[in-house]
Amino acid sequence: MSDSAPEPRPGAPKAVPWGTGARRWLFRPPRRHGEADLDRSVSFLELFYDLVYVVLVGQAAYTLAEHFTWRGTATFAVVFGLIWIAWLNGTLFYELHGREDGHTRSLIFVQMLLLSLMAVYVGHADGDDGRTLAILYAILLALLSYQWFSVYRLDRPELRRTPRRYLIVMVVGIVVMAVSAPLSADARLVVWAVFVVAWCAVECVILISWRRAPSYDVVTEPLVERFGLFIIIVLGEVVIGVVNGLTDTERGALVTTTGLLGLAVGFGFWWNYADLMARRMPLEAGHSLATWIFVHLPLSMAVAAAGAGMVGLVEHAADERTPAAVSWLMGGSVAVMLITTVVLLPTLADYDRRPSLRTSVQTVLTTAAAGALVVGWARPAPWLLALILLLLLFVTWVFAFVRWLSEGVLINERPAG
């Protein structure tokens, strides 16, 4: 028997030394713009990353459940906006430029460490903890900016204009958040609110300009799935809200019934989003894509707010009338969810295939949203409030389902191609 190594087969790839392969796996640069992986699926790392946001959203919703006031609602909206912007940045970067390698994993785990620290301070963001939260958020934006800059360095000169604008906005965000840290609590919340609105507005304009004449695809099925998964995350707050309400309240038939009706409202959210929006590809045109992305912010915020409202709904189950703050929060959340669905429908790639169907569904959704606001204003008993909101969501879904069947379309049909 010969001790010499066997000769490699003709045409076989050359062996790469382990050290070289390890360095490439650890330090491989991100994908450049235009190098989208259209055949990939959502990875375990992305799912793990999204789970961190369960904690962040949960902390924000818990605080809202404890403070049903206009200030508490405003604080929740601002903090949720910050959380969503961070999630959007991490999600888009992985979708457009991430790889299944050590470099991408390391950066995402560093983000997760920062996000976990932020979760400690989210619950009292309107107090002294807001100072630390602002500093941590500025550090997170700096890390995200570094990731986007690492792509900018690799891009061809003709593709750098849009990434440069994006980076400028990110750097401005770092400065704004850092400057807000020493301010008073009220001033800091105002600065954060301006930042959330301005960031979304400016990035929306940049996206519209960038996608006015798309040169390559950026929307993939995994990206659409990630947005749907985030809705699932915030829907979890509905379940948590009902459970917390039942845990903290003396349970009886009325309390339990109110809790179950509230949980069914969450099911109504899921049915409408899952069958009207989920897994449907948006248009690549700039205005449609921008609308589809950024309208998901108030949509997901409304669902999470409803989860917080469930606590008050169950705790006051024996009241003759629902407290005004809880009633408006629940009715407003359902109304916002329905209206955002109306706005999102025209952004879908298959919208124009059946205009009469979509228009009739939008009309019913808008009418139901108005009904939800009227119910919130009327303040019926908690169990009745939950029942009426559930019926409004049920009617919208049934109408859409019947219209789909009448057109010979499956409710969750994807467009061909």
Side-chain angles (χ1 to χ4, degrees), residues 14-23:
K14 295 181 179 180
V16 178
W18 183 88
T20 302
R23 285 194 297 271

Side-chain angles (χ1 to χ4, degrees), residues 41-42 47 220-230 279 292:
S41 57
V42 176
L47 297 175
T220 63
E221 289 187 2
L223 178 64
V224 174
E225 185 175 353
R226 288 291 298 281
F227 274 77
L229 290 173
F230 193 82
R279 296 184 177 178
W292 182 83

Side-chain angles (χ1 to χ4, degrees), residues 85-164:
I85 288 173
W87 174 83
L88 178 66
N89 267 282
T91 297
L92 289 180
F93 182 86
Y94 192 98
E95 175 62 31
L96 296 174
H97 310 294
R99 299 183 187 275
E100 291 285 345
D101 59 10
H103 184 254
T104 298
R105 291 181 182 181
S106 299
L107 290 173
I108 288 182
F109 277 117
V110 173
Q111 287 183 50
M112 292 167 67
L113 289 173
L114 287 170
L115 291 167
S116 299
L117 285 176
M118 286 169 53
V120 177
Y121 301 95
V122 161
H124 298 92
D126 60 342
D128 290 339
D129 281 358
R131 303 180 189 275
T132 306
L133 180 62
I135 294 172
L136 289 173
Y137 197 86
I139 295 173
L140 177 63
L141 289 181
L143 175 60
L144 292 166
S145 298
Y146 162 74
Q147 290 183 269
W148 291 112
F149 180 71
S150 66
V151 178
Y152 174 81
R153 291 184 305 170
L154 300 174
D155 275 335
R156 299 190 301 273
E158 63 270 19
L159 294 179
R160 288 183 176 178
R161 182 180 181 183
T162 297
R164 185 186 303 117

Side-chain angles (χ1 to χ4, degrees), residues 201-222:
V202 174
E203 297 297 1
C204 188
V205 172
I206 291 175
L207 180 58
I208 291 173
S209 175
W210 178 41
R211 304 306 294 172
R212 184 170 289 119
S215 56
Y216 54 87
D217 294 334
V218 297
V219 181
T220 63
E221 289 187 2

